[in-house]
Amino acid sequence: MPEGDTVLQTAARLHAALAGRVLTHADLRVPRFATADLSGRTVLDVTARGKHLLTRVEGGLTLHSHLRMDGAWRIYAPGERWRGGPGHQIRAVLTNTDHTAVGYRLPVLELLRTSEESKAVGHLGPDLLGTDWDLDLAVERLLAAPDRPLGEALLDQRNLAGIGNVYKCELCFLARVTPWLPVGSLPDGTLPRLVALAHRLLDANRDRPTRTTTIRAERRPRPGTPPAPAGRPLPPLRVQDPLYVYGRRGRPCLRCGTPIRKIDQEDRPTYWCPACQAGPTP
């Protein structure tokens, strides 16, 4: 699931493969930019901004892409078979003498002036993995709509940039509230701690091949054992579960043993523990 940490890793791989090298071939397979020719230009850098990718090219141009749910950039050596999907899903090809970067299923791909990048990313809130990270500003933006459900507010990139659906579910679990609880109804002091935790989690996962939100897994109770009281974790297992609730519908909560539930929120699959998380539910 491409979230801020995944996009940052993608930017790092693209930067390593493209930056400082001249493009020998460039093919943008979207009608608006199909005739644009970037060959002969040097790639200056590839930067992540929230969930957005900015590939800056010599001559004051930026190739802006967004992965959303299904997009991906793959990097191949010369002569290596491309394996990211069928040819009709390819939206961009950037080639130099050492590598080829292929963009598959990119729902957003546009070429713009580097001086006008704000048209693509200027609306974003503080970037959880960026140099502009500002906890107080993120909290202020979240509180600007106190009646909005927390899950929706966390996904709004205008509040803070980088959180996707996985982190939304995990953060609500760690805060012990449901994603449907209004932001303004959070207990005092919870929102700043939640935002700080979001920053720590994304930063901890910025270089990990497998995302994890669990510091340690908690032992599941035997079948038929009453759930443990909230706030009293069970002893840890040696084998770690990478996530607390996301993707675990019907499986026992790592904290209390109650089956995890799932339902859509704003068309996004949302997971929560009905015993551990307080607040409204559908």
Side-chain angles (χ1 to χ4, degrees):
M1 187 74 64
E3 307 206 13
D5 50 3
T6 306
V7 175
L8 188 74
Q9 292 175 24
T10 300
R13 289 193 295 270
L14 288 170
H15 184 87
L18 301 176
R21 296 177 173 89
V22 176
L23 292 173
T24 57
H25 174 71
D27 183 9
L28 306 183
R29 300 182 184 180
V30 292
R32 183 180 174 189
F33 303 105
T35 60
D37 186 8
L38 300 178
S39 59
R41 299 175 187 256
T42 299
V43 174
L44 304 178
D45 68 80
V46 183
T47 299
R49 181 74 172 86
K51 297 185 187 182
H52 299 253
L53 285 163
L54 303 172
T55 303
R56 300 184 178 110
V57 182
E58 183 183 23
L61 295 176
T62 295
L63 184 64
H64 166 232
S65 58
H66 196 296
L67 306 179
R68 290 192 180 162
M69 295 293 289
D70 300 317
W73 280 95
R74 307 294 186 198
I75 299 169
Y76 303 103
E80 184 179 359
R81 180 172 173 267
W82 298 358
R83 303 176 303 277
H88 71 268
Q89 293 183 349
I90 295 174
R91 296 293 177 267
V93 180
L94 303 176
T95 302
N96 56 42
T97 55
D98 300 310
H99 304 95
T100 295
V102 184
Y104 291 91
R105 300 171 299 279
L106 300 174
V108 175
L109 184 71
E110 60 177 344
L111 193 63
L112 62 155
R113 296 282 181 188
T114 301
S115 59
E116 298 178 347
E117 286 180 357
S118 61
K119 292 182 178 180
V121 296
H123 66 287
L124 298 177
D127 187 344
L128 284 151
L129 293 175
T131 57
D132 70 327
W133 171 241
D134 186 329
L135 185 148
D136 293 335
L137 179 58
V139 171
E140 179 183 327
R141 292 194 175 193
L142 287 164
L143 287 173
D147 295 331
R148 193 176 190 185
L150 177 61
E152 293 179 23
L154 290 174
L155 286 178
D156 190 336
Q157 304 298 294
R158 295 170 297 181
N159 293 328
L160 64 173
I163 290 178
N165 204 41
V166 177
Y167 280 116
K168 176 200 80 173
C169 297
E170 296 294 295
L171 286 165
C172 289
F173 175 82
L174 289 165
R176 302 199 176 205
V177 295
T178 69
W180 297 275
L181 184 72
V183 172
S185 298
L186 286 166
D188 290 344
T190 298
L191 188 59
R193 290 196 298 271
L194 178 63
V195 172
L197 178 60
H199 177 244
R200 290 200 301 273
L201 285 177
L202 266 76
D203 189 61
N205 283 293
R206 64 190 301 155
D207 297 318
R208 288 177 175 165
T210 301
R211 179 184 300 125
T212 179
T213 60
T214 56
I215 297 174
R216 62 181 188 180
E218 296 170 348
R219 178 173 58 82
R220 302 176 184 81
R222 294 187 181 90
T225 303
R232 190 177 301 170
L234 294 164
L237 278 173
R238 291 183 180 179
V239 178
Q240 183 174 349
D241 285 273
L243 301 173
Y244 280 106
V245 292
Y246 190 87
R248 302 189 68 250
R249 179 175 63 175
R251 296 174 61 191
C253 171
L254 297 177
R255 181 182 287 141
C256 74
T258 301
I260 298 299
R261 295 190 64 188
K262 172 194 171 187
I263 199 169
D264 283 353
Q265 181 183 30
E266 292 290 298
D267 298 323
R268 300 288 187 92
T270 298
Y271 300 81
W272 81 101
C273 173
C276 289
Q277 295 174 248
T281 56

